Amino acid sequence: MNINLVLFLAILLAGYLTSFVRNRQRGMGLFIGIIITLLILESCLRSLSVGPDTKAYYNAFQDAAMMDWAEIGEAFVESYVDGEGKDPGYLVFQKICLSITDNFNLFLFFTDLIFFIPLALLLKRFLHSHMQLVFAFTLYVTLFSIIALSGIRQQITIGLSMMAFLCFADRKYIPAILLLLFGATIHISLLIFLLVPVFGLLLQRWLKPLHVASFLTIPVTLRYAGPLMLFVASFMANDYYSDYGFSSSVSSASTYIFMMELLSLFCLFGIPRRQISQKNDSSWLYAMLPLITMTVPLISLDGAMIRIGEYFTLYMLFLVPMSIENIFQKRFRWMVYVFLTGVLILMGLRAGGLSYTFFWQVGE
């Protein structure tokens, strides 16, 4: 099944129909609810063959069912004292879910809620028209849908990072930090999100210069991605993550890197300094741009490193519409959104997406 085609048609149809709701905010909320529900169903109803890591996570789920809480406690000791395990918080999360159900697809549903509810809240907060939502959902399906169809730990921690971002934007700093520290026990890569309050709060006055300077790091990162990862891994007791530092994988990531850096450059010119001069939503969103620019080239080292950048690149769903609103006059914006949405749909259909089957189709 070409799942991308189904989702693109659903986005266009739902966007069109909900635009007729008299109350615009209610219509946009209905639109977000419809598409978020479809994305949740796409993720939690998938078979084990959908996504490169789904089968491995299913096996881990079965293994967790055989463990008791004492063994999970030992996993924390092994990870944080002996440096032999990794991310034991995921075992806790699995065990909590197993106390409710041992059905793997229901487990996927629980993880989807952690990811998609914060995403829906961000969409409702930062986007202000049906055209923006159509563009954002299309961009998500084309570039980011793999998040909810592959690495479950990463999906959970990105969901927690979005919750933390909303807390940061609302100046609820302690809950945000606690969310990140808790999530780091599930996937330690989440600690990189602590750079967001550094950029968005402590360095907010220098965001524009930092964004410009971040482009200078691209050739350095491309050239020395391996040593950089080894340096980061040296601060961890566990040497699991240092494996990326020895990778020599050269994939087709160049297109993705080029697209993200181009979008970052577009936002550099599209979001003026005066818009981020206050500690408001725009400044918190803009803090993502230098982080996107610096982390995306890590993908050249190993395709799995796309997961580091996804903590930040997902915010292109909001940064690109913000830039479009600033650059183009109102009468031309719809043409820009139509053009970009069309390009993204063509990209998504050309890529084909993952070969999708529902869990009940196994054996057919």
Side-chain angles (χ1 to χ4, degrees), residues 299-316:
I299 304 168
S300 63
L301 176 66
D302 189 289
M305 295 304 296
I306 194 173
R307 295 172 179 177
I308 299 296
E310 280 172 343
Y311 287 114
F312 314 117
T313 55
L314 192 63
Y315 292 85
M316 283 298 185

Side-chain angles (χ1 to χ4, degrees), residues 62-78:
Q62 299 302 314
D63 292 340
M66 305 298 294
M67 298 177 67
D68 57 34
W69 284 104
E71 290 177 287
I72 293 175
E74 291 173 3
F76 274 86
V77 175
E78 290 178 358

Side-chain angles (χ1 to χ4, degrees), residues 318-332:
F318 320 108
L319 287 160
V320 174
M322 185 188 300
S323 301
I324 291 172
E325 297 295 310
N326 289 328
I327 293 175
F328 297 97
Q329 296 181 12
K330 187 173 182 179
R331 64 178 181 273
F332 296 124

Side-chain angles (χ1 to χ4, degrees), residues 107-222:
F107 170 70
L108 292 178
F109 175 73
F110 295 145
T111 63
D112 291 334
L113 293 180
I114 295 173
F115 177 81
F116 283 109
I117 290 177
L119 179 59
L121 293 175
L122 286 168
L123 290 165
K124 186 175 181 180
R125 178 164 178 163
F126 293 113
L127 299 183
H128 310 293
S129 72
H130 277 77
M131 286 300 302
Q132 288 183 339
L133 285 173
V134 169
F135 168 81
F137 279 128
T138 306
L139 181 61
Y140 172 84
V141 172
T142 301
L143 293 184
F144 302 115
S145 59
I146 189 64
I147 295 173
L149 295 175
S150 183
I152 295 174
R153 288 187 305 136
Q154 191 78 23
Q155 180 186 4
I156 294 170
T157 51
I158 291 178
L160 293 174
S161 74
M162 288 189 284
M163 295 181 199
F165 177 81
L166 288 167
C167 289
F168 281 132
D170 291 333
R171 301 185 182 184
K172 299 175 182 177
Y173 303 125
I174 292 177
I177 297 298
L178 291 176
L179 280 168
L180 296 181
L181 293 178
F182 167 70
T185 69
I186 296 176
H187 205 301
I188 199 168
S189 64
L190 181 58
L191 290 178
I192 197 172
F193 204 79
L194 288 170
L195 290 172
V196 172
V198 173
F199 280 64
L201 186 64
L202 301 180
L203 302 177
Q204 183 265 339
R205 188 177 302 176
W206 297 281
L207 278 177
K208 268 291 180 179
L210 283 170
H211 189 194
V212 174
S214 68
F215 287 96
L216 301 177
T217 69
I218 295 173
V220 177
T221 306
L222 289 173

